[in-house]
Amino acid sequence: MAVEKSNTKPEGVEIVKPRTDNREYRRIVLKNSLQVLLISDPDTDKCAASMSVSVGSFSDPQGLEGLAHFLEHMLFYASEKYPEEDSYSKYIAEHGGCTNAYTSSEETNYHFDINTDSFNEALDRFAQFFIKPLMSADATMREIKAVDSENQKNLLSDGWRMRQLQKHLSKEDHPFHKFSTGNMDTLHVRPQAKGVDTRSELIKFYDEHYSANIMHLVVYGKESLDKIQDLVEGMFQEIQNTNKTIPRFPGQPCSPDHLQILVKAVPIKQGHKLSVSWPVTPSIHHYEEAPSRYLGHLIGHEGEGSLFHALKTLGWATGLSAGEGDWTLDYSFFKVSIDLTDAGHEHIQDILGLLFRYIQLLQQSGVCQWIFDELSAICETKFHYQDKIPPISYIVDIASNMQIFPTKDWLVGSSLPSKFNPATVQKIVDELSPSNVRIFWESQKFEGQTDKNEPWYNTAYSLEKITSSTIQEWVQSAPDVNLHLPAPNVFIPTDLSLKNAKDKETVPVLLRNSPFSRLWYKPDTMFSKPKAYVKMDFNCPLAVSSPDAAVLTDIFTRLLMDYLNEYAYYAQVAGLYYGVSLSDNGFELTLLGYNHKLRILLETVVGKIAKFEVKPDRFAVIKETVTKEYQNYKFRQPYHQTMYYCSLILQDQTWPWTEELEVLSHLEAEDVAKFVPMLLSRTFFECYIAGNVESNEAESMVKHIEDVLFNGPKPICRPLFPSQHLTNRVVKLEEGMKYFYHQDGSNPSDENSALVHYIQVHRDDFTMNIKVQLFGLVAKQATFHQLRTVEQLGYITALAQRNDSGIYGVQFIIQSSVKGPGHIDSRVESLLKNLETKLREMSDEEFKSNVTALIDMKLEKHKNLKEESRFYWREIQSGTLKFNRKEAEVAALRQLQKQELIDFFDEYIKVGAARKKSLSIRVYGSQHLKEMATDKEEVPPPSVEIEDIVGFRKSQPLHGSFRGCGQPKL
């Protein structure tokens, strides 16, 4: 428990916190009525703050859609105290932090994190957002372009389109109906035509709504609570309190006209979806009774007897989710979303009939105390044994909770159902009625059959009314399947004790090495949670030998997941997760969660691999799903396309998705049945087991798998020959050469273009790594400021480091609707010239500050077992095995001189550098296509134009693989 100390309530209130949480918490209220939660964590490597302002897009003035979101952008620019443009973001980026914000319907949330020694100044800069921000006229116009670019990226996203269509079909006088992102039209063109000055409205909106008494601040620091309190009181007292009331929007978004409707809509992507929603009483008023969570748990269940299990068995659905969707204190929607197969699309009436039949089952069977108690127990264990996560992620949710929940539940929110009240649940079940329903059905098959268009995203749709009696007929005529409530969950952990790890290894040790497998083991010495992490990578040479093999292996892993779903779903609900997926050299199995029942799940999965058989009906469904996924590749964001092409050019043993799609078209169930025994006939599995597991248990798990797969009377697997161990290899670009790849955007309707400008530098080496990383830190914010803030090339603008199997480089990623890739590439070159000047003019003090920031980032401790395990697994998988990487790179950083960084830049990065190896991937959107021919002609020498990716890759030398450096000895 934590005690609240407040200027207004000195007697104190207990804030419920996890049993395993040793952080300290304190609530204070400043003189200006700002409510603050202080969190002291002496172990933290990052400090953070989040401010939640109780106003959002519902408060946008009529005719200025997106104003709240636009204001959120504008506050980042500058303040009276710190007038240099973008200096807040620059300060945070240069001191190891990150910053972001979001606008929702009734809240705007601003947040950042930073290295601990730079927190005080960062917090002061952050406070100025809410004291005296500068919103210059010049910045206003530029940031309208950024908002417009953000909206452009969403126009062809089905998620955004369907959400807006659901909002469109609601009362026009309710704010739910509004368009909330904003664009050039709503924030500039239309207001200007009416003589409205957007900047004046922006300032007016800020003055009207941004009042300290409707803000909630969370500050997460390393110092004591008293010191953090002094800091906050000194910085945030000046926020004006104009005694606003939190805006409320009573009334329901939907009138009877918007209920009992069936809407058919045409999506961008392949696939059919059904979204069924009902307006219900908001659960927030009964959050300890958790009615919608209880119903979502049952309607969304995937075990035997569930709605999803029935639809899956019939071959009609591939996914189902259920729960409370959009909600405020005044209204809420309960939603059921179903991903349909082609056959499911043809049986929509039966599917809706079964959904309502399941709801009738819930009405008739009443609210079960044992199900509620089980759900409550699962939630309680999850809360009390929750992993530590980055402070920035932790505090954003808490800041939002503060405006809704009483103080004692600020950390808990609605995550702990504790009061069994059948009447509350029954009330919501009764609201899920045919007379109250909204049905949205998406499919490209409706193309040409619609008569309406949603105005903001231009989504084509049609609408028809549907009666309760029609739905009742569907319930009667739906197939007779056995729907029933789930069985008790055998995966709920009851042993949460911690093993007394005799081994105190701080890095993984090679515990066991055999012809069949290699086991790396790392006991938990950091987190004290009853959890384990298991990773097994099955190295199968056949898996990546051709496009056919890659597709067949993918289908094999998906079929495995499909067969296990109704059993393993119980484990997932109880906090034990597993996955089988493709890996670079075969397939991998991952398990993560409470260790108590983990072995049971592991043995079941391995048993399924050993007895694998192809069920033709499930094969047909999986084939259809994978085919649609490939067909939807062409609708990916252009910047995703550029990154895909970059990987395809660089990484050996990868196949173009177009070839894999062609393989799929003539694949049959018997092809998989023939392939899988061959796939498994030669394999070697690399294993990593970590957490609350003793070394003998880890060895026993691996021995069991070897016995099942390799040591039976008729072994399924045999060990690999030494020559068969696969390695990941990367194309070695030529020094002094520029490589270019030009390609049309794969979606002709997408106006956005994109560029990846990649610079390949070196093979993993501590001294070189830190130079790449330090350059990235110095250049990251300068890139964002110049290319996005000043030149407004596009909302998506980033400088990122790249590591392909131990080959390091940097990449500039930009997506734009205003300029083509050739122009953007020239702006990257121009930026590199500016960065050259920046580096040469950097003071010794600034250099040291950047080095310190990078050291702090490297020494940041892992927050939880998953984070730690992923770090070590990367070393094992790539073959680098540098478990001391952080310490070694920090030691190299401490030795680094400024001149060495400049020399590195001159040699590898700068325009015209002798050893520079650059690759520009240019993807052209519809409005820049005509520029491609000219851009190709204007490519500067010495350069290589890549016409055929696979042909190019075959003609190039490859970097050596770290996995080929000999096997480690025990």
Side-chain angles (χ1 to χ4, degrees):
M1 295 292 186
V3 177
E4 164 186 331
K5 289 186 185 171
S6 129
N7 298 355
T8 53
K9 288 177 82 177
E11 70 274 15
V13 169
E14 288 179 322
I15 297 175
V16 179
K17 70 173 192 173
R19 285 194 285 270
T20 53
D21 185 355
N22 53 14
R23 292 169 288 209
E24 290 186 304
Y25 299 82
R26 179 186 295 170
R27 170 189 183 259
I28 62 170
V29 181
L30 303 188
K31 289 179 186 138
N32 57 0
S33 297
L34 174 68
Q35 291 199 58
V36 188
L37 178 66
L38 311 174
I39 306 176
S40 168
D41 178 3
D43 296 328
T44 192
D45 300 304
K46 280 270 198 292
C47 293
S50 172
M51 178 73 92
S52 168
V53 187
S54 298
V55 66
S57 56
F58 275 10
S59 298
D60 285 344
Q62 198 61 42
L64 276 165
E65 293 87 354
L67 192 69
H69 177 222
F70 178 43
L71 174 60
E72 171 230 296
H73 277 238
M74 285 301 295
L75 291 192
F76 280 78
Y77 262 80
S79 63
E80 209 169 274
K81 186 171 179 181
Y82 299 101
E84 189 193 333
E85 198 175 89
D86 255 359
S87 61
Y88 163 76
S89 302
K90 179 176 185 283
Y91 183 83
I92 286 180
E94 287 178 353
H95 295 89
C98 64
T99 175
N100 211 337
Y102 65 78
T103 305
S104 64
S105 53
E106 295 187 315
E107 181 208 6
T108 310
N109 190 304
Y110 303 84
H111 41 275
F112 76 90
D113 70 2
I114 197 157
N115 292 341
T116 53
D117 56 359
S118 308
F119 185 49
N120 293 16
E121 184 175 331
L123 194 63
D124 190 42
R125 288 172 177 274
F126 182 67
Q128 299 307 310
F129 278 34
F130 314 102
I131 297 168
K132 282 199 174 163
L134 290 180
M135 299 185 232
S136 73
D138 177 43
T140 301
M141 195 56 224
R142 275 185 283 133
E143 206 53 34
I144 288 174
K145 289 178 183 172
V147 171
D148 189 61
S149 174
E150 183 177 354
N151 183 59
Q152 283 276 350
K153 125 187 126 50
N154 301 336
L155 290 178
L156 298 176
S157 157
D158 284 326
W160 284 93
R161 293 164 71 86
M162 288 310 298
R163 183 168 149 63
Q164 192 62 43
L165 179 57
Q166 289 173 7
K167 285 155 73 79
H168 179 64
L169 297 173
S170 66
K171 289 185 199 165
E172 288 192 25
D173 60 356
H174 193 285
F176 179 76
H177 184 82
K178 290 179 176 179
F179 167 63
S180 58
T181 311
N183 60 23
M184 184 60 75
D185 222 25
T186 67
L187 294 171
H188 179 63
V189 178
R190 291 184 199 176
Q192 194 178 45
K194 291 181 195 161
V196 173
D197 177 51
T198 303
R199 181 168 171 265
S200 303
E201 292 295 321
L202 190 72
I203 294 164
K204 184 175 152 193
F205 186 90
Y206 179 85
D207 290 342
E208 229 168 78
H209 294 290
Y210 275 52
S211 171
N213 72 306
I214 63 164
M215 296 180 182
H216 295 86
L217 174 68
V218 185
V219 178
Y220 191 112
K222 194 178 178 74
E223 304 280 7
S224 69
L225 288 174
D226 289 343
K227 283 190 175 168
I228 301 169
Q229 181 166 338
D230 289 345
L231 201 63
V232 169
E233 285 174 345
M235 290 176 184
F236 290 87
Q237 300 271 29
E238 287 177 59
I239 300 175
Q240 273 201 308
N241 176 15
T242 51
N243 281 314
K244 297 294 179 211
T245 51
I246 293 177
R248 285 287 293 267
F249 304 91
Q252 291 298 310
C254 297
S255 70
D257 289 347
H258 306 116
L259 302 174
Q260 291 189 291
I261 55 171
L262 172 60
V263 178
K264 296 175 181 173
V266 182
I268 299 292
K269 291 186 172 183
Q270 295 279 344
H272 323 282
K273 272 200 171 86
L274 188 63
S275 177
V276 186
S277 65
W278 299 261
V280 294
T281 306
S283 275
I284 191 65
H285 301 298
H286 309 280
Y287 66 93
E288 291 174 314
E289 295 155 25
S292 287
R293 182 181 279 247
Y294 175 91
L295 293 171
H297 169 66
L298 294 177
I299 298 171
H301 209 282
E302 298 181 18
E304 206 180 318
S306 67
L307 172 64
F308 176 69
H309 185 253
L311 297 178
K312 181 185 154 184
T313 306
L314 290 160
W316 293 349
T318 57
L320 184 151
S321 63
E324 204 168 12
D326 280 306
W327 63 269
T328 67
L329 292 172
D330 298 292
Y331 73 83
S332 180
F333 289 99
F334 189 94
K335 289 188 180 179
V336 177
S337 299
I338 306 173
D339 296 320
L340 306 170
T341 60
D342 290 346
H345 178 74
E346 302 303 324
H347 285 89
I348 209 78
Q349 296 179 1
D350 289 332
I351 291 170
L352 287 163
L354 288 172
L355 168 60
F356 279 98
R357 192 184 293 168
Y358 194 85
I359 292 166
Q360 283 175 6
L361 165 75
L362 294 179
Q363 283 170 322
Q364 289 152 11
S365 56
V367 184
C368 298
Q369 173 122 29
W370 77 264
I371 293 178
F372 182 86
D373 290 346
E374 188 180 87
L375 188 61
S376 178
I378 289 167
C379 292
E380 191 173 350
T381 305
K382 184 179 179 181
F383 176 73
H384 286 295
Y385 294 95
Q386 62 183 269
D387 288 337
K388 224 175 180 184
I389 57 173
I392 191 169
S393 308
Y394 185 59
I395 63 172
V396 167
D397 289 341
I398 297 172
S400 298
N401 284 349
M402 285 168 73
Q403 61 167 305
I404 302 164
F405 296 96
T407 307
K408 76 177 178 67
D409 289 333
W410 279 356
L411 307 185
V412 171
S414 58
S415 67
L416 279 184
S418 55
K419 293 181 179 170
F420 180 63
N421 186 342
T424 313
V425 182
Q426 203 62 51
K427 184 173 191 287
I428 306 261
V429 179
D430 294 342
E431 288 172 335
L432 306 184
S433 77
S435 61
N436 214 14
V437 75
R438 287 157 60 87
I439 302 166
F440 289 81
W441 181 10
E442 295 169 64
S443 173
Q444 287 190 343
K445 292 198 172 177
F446 299 138
E447 189 109 45
Q449 299 172 30
T450 59
D451 56 354
K452 296 179 179 64
N453 286 78
E454 186 280 316
W456 297 107
Y457 292 81
N458 203 33
T459 306
Y461 74 98
S462 66
L463 183 149
E464 58 193 85
K465 292 293 277 183
I466 201 151
T467 63
S468 297
S469 56
T470 303
I471 290 176
Q472 217 40 60
E473 284 168 24
W474 297 346
V475 173
Q476 301 302 326
S477 63
D480 184 19
V481 294
N482 183 18
L483 296 175
H484 59 80
L485 295 176
N489 192 334
V490 297
F491 279 104
I492 295 176
T494 51
D495 178 3
L496 296 163
S497 62
L498 298 179
K499 307 281 165 77
N500 184 11
K502 293 177 279 298
D503 319 282
K504 297 290 180 196
E505 282 86 2
T506 52
V507 296
V509 290
L510 186 56
L511 196 61
R512 188 173 185 279
N513 203 354
S514 80
F516 315 117
S517 71
R518 192 161 47 229
L519 166 61
W520 298 90
Y521 167 71
K522 162 83 175 62
D524 176 12
T525 52
M526 286 272 291
F527 311 112
S528 303
K529 295 279 181 351
K531 296 180 181 182
Y533 182 99
V534 174
K535 180 74 95 169
M536 297 185 174
D537 189 10
F538 290 83
N539 192 320
C540 307
L542 191 58
V544 289
S545 58
S546 67
D548 303 71
V551 170
L552 286 159
T553 308
D554 186 20
I555 286 181
F556 161 64
T557 64
R558 288 170 188 252
L559 281 169
L560 265 179
M561 294 279 288
D562 184 81
Y563 298 165
L564 286 158
N565 190 61
E566 52 263 29
Y567 172 79
Y569 183 76
Y570 283 95
Q572 187 185 320
V573 167
L576 179 55
Y577 303 90
Y578 92 105
V580 186
S581 59
L582 278 180
S583 66
D584 290 340
N585 302 314
F587 66 96
E588 65 181 23
L589 169 61
T590 311
L591 290 95
L592 169 67
Y594 301 114
N595 56 274
H596 182 202
K597 311 271 178 92
L598 184 143
R599 171 113 188 214
I600 301 168
L601 183 58
L602 174 65
E603 290 184 5
T604 306
V605 176
V606 173
K608 271 280 188 250
I609 293 172
K611 295 184 166 57
F612 182 80
E613 56 184 51
V614 180
K615 299 175 184 172
D617 59 329
R618 299 314 301 157
F619 166 79
V621 169
I622 298 291
K623 176 183 170 179
E624 183 191 308
T625 305
V626 178
T627 301
K628 284 174 188 163
E629 281 180 22
Y630 278 119
Q631 288 168 339
N632 286 332
Y633 264 40
K634 61 177 175 281
F635 300 114
R636 288 180 301 178
Q637 292 269 6
Y639 79 98
H640 282 146
Q641 294 174 39
T642 55
M643 291 164 78
Y644 165 76
Y645 290 129
C646 193
S647 296
L648 197 61
I649 287 168
L650 293 174
Q651 293 168 5
D652 196 30
Q653 293 286 341
T654 49
W655 312 104
W657 70 266
T658 45
E659 292 182 7
E660 294 181 340
L661 177 59
E662 201 175 309
V663 167
L664 266 168
S665 60
H666 46 77
L667 212 58
E668 299 299 336
E670 52 265 32
D671 297 321
V672 184
K674 284 179 198 157
F675 174 78
V676 172
M678 292 195 294
L679 172 77
L680 297 173
S681 68
R682 292 275 175 200
T683 190
F684 178 88
F685 65 99
E686 185 103 56
C687 233
Y688 176 73
I689 299 180
N692 194 35
V693 179
E694 290 174 347
S695 56
N696 59 338
E697 291 177 280
E699 287 194 70
S700 161
M701 283 186 216
V702 171
K703 183 79 177 71
H704 171 80
I705 295 166
E706 286 187 356
D707 287 345
V708 171
L709 298 179
F710 292 90
N711 295 333
K714 285 187 177 173
I716 300 144
C717 308
R718 283 168 295 165
L720 289 187
F721 292 115
S723 60
Q724 285 183 296
H725 283 268
L726 289 175
T727 56
N728 309 334
R729 301 191 61 187
V730 176
V731 165
K732 191 175 192 176
L733 300 178
E734 191 181 327
E735 290 184 356
M737 188 61 75
K738 293 180 177 179
Y739 298 84
F740 292 89
Y741 180 69
H742 297 82
Q743 184 60 267
D744 302 11
S746 50
N747 178 7
S749 308
D750 200 334
E751 294 184 351
N752 291 288
S753 293
L755 168 82
V756 162
H757 182 107
Y758 165 72
I759 302 168
Q760 191 177 75
V761 182
H762 71 292
R763 195 165 173 260
D764 188 25
D765 167 89
F766 293 146
T767 311
M768 287 294 281
N769 296 352
I770 59 161
K771 291 174 186 174
V772 169
Q773 291 157 6
L774 191 59
F775 166 71
L777 182 65
V778 171
K780 187 175 183 175
Q781 186 56 28
T783 300
F784 184 87
H785 175 72
Q786 183 59 35
L787 301 184
R788 183 183 144 174
T789 308
V790 177
E791 298 187 27
Q792 283 298 328
L793 291 178
Y795 178 74
I796 293 166
T797 302
L799 167 61
Q801 289 159 45
R802 190 178 171 108
N803 175 2
D804 297 273
S805 305
I807 309 305
Y808 284 67
V810 292
Q811 55 186 359
F812 295 86
I813 305 162
I814 299 110
Q815 179 167 299
S816 179
S817 58
V818 292
K819 296 289 181 186
H823 174 84
I824 300 169
D825 213 353
S826 72
R827 299 316 300 150
V828 171
E829 298 263 295
S830 173
L831 170 74
L832 286 170
K833 288 174 184 161
N834 295 346
L835 289 171
E836 185 178 349
T837 309
K838 180 182 166 76
L839 281 176
R840 294 193 196 290
E841 291 176 357
M842 184 191 287
S843 67
D844 291 344
E845 193 182 331
E846 205 180 336
F847 173 76
K848 280 180 192 152
S849 167
N850 279 297
V851 168
T852 304
L854 187 54
I855 287 172
D856 288 347
M857 289 161 77
K858 287 195 164 298
L859 292 179
E860 194 175 330
K861 296 183 286 291
H862 298 297
K863 307 283 179 300
N864 53 56
L865 180 64
K866 183 179 180 181
E867 209 179 277
E868 179 191 78
S869 298
R870 281 179 163 176
F871 173 81
Y872 288 129
W873 179 248
R874 260 197 309 274
E875 295 292 334
I876 293 165
Q877 202 178 31
S878 64
T880 44
L881 302 178
K882 293 173 180 170
F883 300 134
N884 67 334
R885 176 177 299 279
K886 290 182 172 193
E887 297 76 12
E889 289 184 350
V890 165
L893 263 171
R894 295 194 200 279
Q895 303 297 315
L896 189 70
Q897 302 297 312
K898 185 174 79 172
Q899 191 56 47
E900 292 177 83
L901 181 64
I902 294 169
D903 292 345
F904 161 80
F905 180 85
D906 289 347
E907 197 172 350
Y908 294 97
I909 308 286
K910 85 168 188 182
V911 178
R915 300 187 67 181
K916 183 172 181 178
K917 303 175 276 191
S918 71
L919 166 62
S920 289
I921 315 277
R922 300 171 171 184
V923 165
Y924 290 76
S926 56
Q927 61 179 348
H928 304 123
L929 263 177
K930 56 185 182 297
E931 299 168 21
M932 196 199 294
T934 322
D935 285 352
K936 279 187 173 184
E937 285 168 20
E938 290 175 359
V939 159
S943 65
V944 172
E945 176 69 40
I946 300 170
E947 301 286 354
D948 164 20
I949 290 181
V950 179
F952 168 77
R953 208 170 59 197
K954 285 181 176 169
S955 69
Q956 296 302 300
L958 301 174
H959 278 284
S961 165
F962 287 95
R963 291 182 76 157
C965 301
Q967 301 304 334
K969 291 192 173 75
L970 267 171

